[in-house]
Amino acid sequence: MSSNDLTSRWSISANNPIPELMMQQISRAAASLRSGGVVAFPTETVYGLGADISHNQAIQKIFEIKGRPSDHPLIVHFADIAELGYWTEKIPAAAWLLARHFWPGPLTLILPKSKHIPLSVTGGQDMVGLRIPCHPVALTLLRQLGSRRALAAPSANRFGRISPTSAAHVRNEFGHEINMILEGGPCEVGLESTIVSCVDETVTILRPGGIPVTAIENLLQQVVSIKSHHSSIRTPGSLASHYAPATPLEVWPGGESFWSRFTVLQHQGICTAIVTRSLSDYSTRGIDENLHHILMPDDPVRYGKELYAMLRKLDEGKFDRILIEAPPDNPEWFAIADRLQRASLYFPEKPTT
Ligand code: TXA
Ligand code: MG
């Protein structure tokens, strides 16, 4: 996905102005943030829980209401690429290339922080995560905040749980605990940003996400390494268990082993919802047609967009187990495989091809 595709899908243009009522909401949100409020806002990836980085109390409140340890850094969101040099001490050539190509968009760059970024935002580290989101509401909000202002914003969910991809998800999770929730429709990407660390010229992917690894490699003309979650860098989204529903989740290869596992769960009387990418022949297997089956798209972009809403729905309490067909073992599915792996009790050694 190139930044042009992203921009044409979400940018504010004369043909696609933000409705007046929405503009009023955004102005109210900007005023609240300026006076130290905490506001949830839409981005193209997931909804974020935002605070102006210059308001220490608001930053503390984010950690508090998320239940997030204070040494886990927050991503800093801003609007204007010309201000990148204000927020970071150093911009390696690879970082410039990535920023110019993929911003606004689902890319977070980890760079040395400038003195304008408080240590409370980076969890005490001297590196900062920076991102220009590609959503008209987020960009308008950031522009209204003014130049050299930025929002620290983690995903708007409790620590370790599923990220929200609609305003309703945020409302269900935080209700009146925050000052305001800006509505911006369902998130286009549905998975968090790809996090890329650029220390000097060494480029490492810390979290696969909305920008495919292959798009980054193609742009940089080099193979980039993907750091496992055993990293020493503190990246909570890379903890082994994260993005998880409360209902135990298992991921099994498609075909025979998937159906055998389902049969075992059924015999144990475990009420199981199944999620596959292809319609399967369960009628010929003597499996009850009334079983709860969700058919997901066999396309990583559409699958990613629907994944979290689907998990939230299945997590509403009806099921004892969620059984998901493993994603294909191919780079376009990396981000989805990563999230499913962290959310699950069981994940196959080698996903299906
Ligand atoms: O798409 C996204 O990235 C969303 C939207 C709201 O922008 N934000 C998001 O934030 O997913 P959060 O806090 O839920 O996850 C951010 C990840 C965390 O794993 C955090 O540790 C990592 O980014 N991160 C932030 N700053 C970092 C830093 N300085 N070094 C290493 N990792 C960092
Ligand atoms: Mg998160």
Side-chain angles (χ1 to χ4, degrees):
M1 197 182 316
S2 80
S3 64
N4 286 346
D5 297 333
L6 293 166
T7 322
S8 61
R9 273 155 73 187
W10 299 304
S11 70
I12 305 160
S13 69
N15 302 332
N16 185 24
I18 294 181
E20 181 52 35
L21 215 67
M22 189 74 234
M23 285 304 288
Q24 288 170 16
Q25 295 285 310
I26 296 173
S27 299
R28 269 187 53 216
S32 170
L33 288 161
R34 258 187 240 109
S35 59
V38 170
V39 171
F41 64 96
T43 81
E44 79 283 26
T45 59
V46 300
Y47 276 67
L49 203 55
D52 186 317
I53 61 166
S54 62
H55 283 280
N56 189 44
Q57 269 188 331
I59 299 294
Q60 296 317 320
K61 187 168 172 197
I62 282 186
F63 283 103
E64 226 171 83
I65 61 181
K66 263 189 78 90
R68 179 169 174 146
S70 62
D71 61 351
H72 288 297
L74 306 177
I75 294 174
V76 172
H77 300 67
F78 63 108
D80 184 357
I81 197 166
E83 291 186 359
L84 178 57
Y86 182 77
W87 301 116
T88 177
E89 283 276 283
K90 188 170 173 205
I91 313 172
W96 253 128
L97 205 57
L98 290 167
R100 280 206 308 267
H101 194 80
F102 291 117
W103 278 351
L107 171 79
T108 295
L109 290 174
I110 307 291
L111 294 168
K113 80 172 199 67
S114 75
K115 63 177 186 210
H116 306 293
I117 306 274
L119 283 167
S120 55
V121 168
T122 63
Q125 304 186 52
D126 52 12
M127 303 294 282
V128 63
L130 295 168
R131 164 162 132 80
I132 302 183
C134 189
H135 189 292
V137 173
L139 282 173
T140 308
L141 177 67
L142 289 162
R143 287 182 188 132
Q144 285 210 3
L145 270 184
S147 70
R148 300 188 166 184
R149 304 293 285 257
L151 291 178
S155 52
N157 53 278
R158 304 218 190 260
F159 187 61
R161 307 316 294 265
I162 306 166
S163 296
T165 52
S166 74
H169 294 160
V170 184
R171 217 169 290 122
N172 290 343
E173 199 145 348
F174 292 117
H176 298 293
E177 285 177 75
I178 56 183
N179 295 85
M180 205 175 151
I181 300 171
L182 271 178
E183 176 66 66
C187 300
E188 278 289 331
V189 175
L191 294 175
E192 301 81 354
S193 59
T194 303
I195 302 182
V196 181
S197 155
C198 295
V199 181
D200 299 318
E201 294 305 325
T202 308
V203 177
T204 311
I205 293 184
L206 300 185
R207 178 178 74 180
I211 303 279
V213 175
T214 41
I216 291 170
E217 292 185 330
N218 289 342
L219 179 73
L220 299 179
Q221 294 285 295
Q222 67 176 87
V223 176
V224 298
S225 60
I226 304 178
K227 202 142 192 165
S228 82
H229 47 255
H230 304 296
S231 152
S232 60
I233 300 178
R234 292 188 299 265
T235 310
S238 68
L239 292 177
S241 166
H242 218 79
Y243 310 106
T247 312
L249 188 158
E250 295 182 21
V251 179
W252 284 72
E256 280 311 316
S257 65
F258 187 83
W259 293 112
S260 322
R261 180 61 187 160
F262 178 65
T263 309
V264 168
L265 292 168
Q266 254 193 339
H267 286 155
Q268 290 174 349
I270 295 173
C271 178
T272 305
I274 63 169
V275 181
T276 67
R277 285 174 290 110
S278 49
L279 257 185
S280 287
D281 48 344
Y282 41 79
S283 54
T284 61
R285 292 168 184 271
I287 289 169
D288 179 3
E289 282 178 24
N290 294 326
L291 92 170
H292 196 90
H293 175 217
I294 291 187
L295 180 66
M296 290 289 280
D298 197 14
D299 162 80
V301 173
R302 289 192 296 134
Y303 193 111
K305 182 172 175 175
E306 292 176 26
L307 174 62
Y308 289 155
M310 179 271 288
L311 289 178
R312 276 180 184 258
K313 191 96 199 118
L314 292 182
D315 208 19
E316 278 168 4
K318 260 182 29 215
F319 303 103
D320 304 320
R321 194 69 49 96
I322 302 170
L323 183 64
I324 300 190
E325 181 183 356
D329 183 20
N330 117 22
E332 291 185 351
W333 289 82
F334 274 179
I336 290 159
D338 173 82
R339 302 309 188 272
L340 286 177
Q341 185 164 18
R342 294 179 206 293
S344 57
L345 286 178
Y346 174 80
F347 193 90
E349 288 269 300
K350 189 100 185 123
T352 51
T353 46

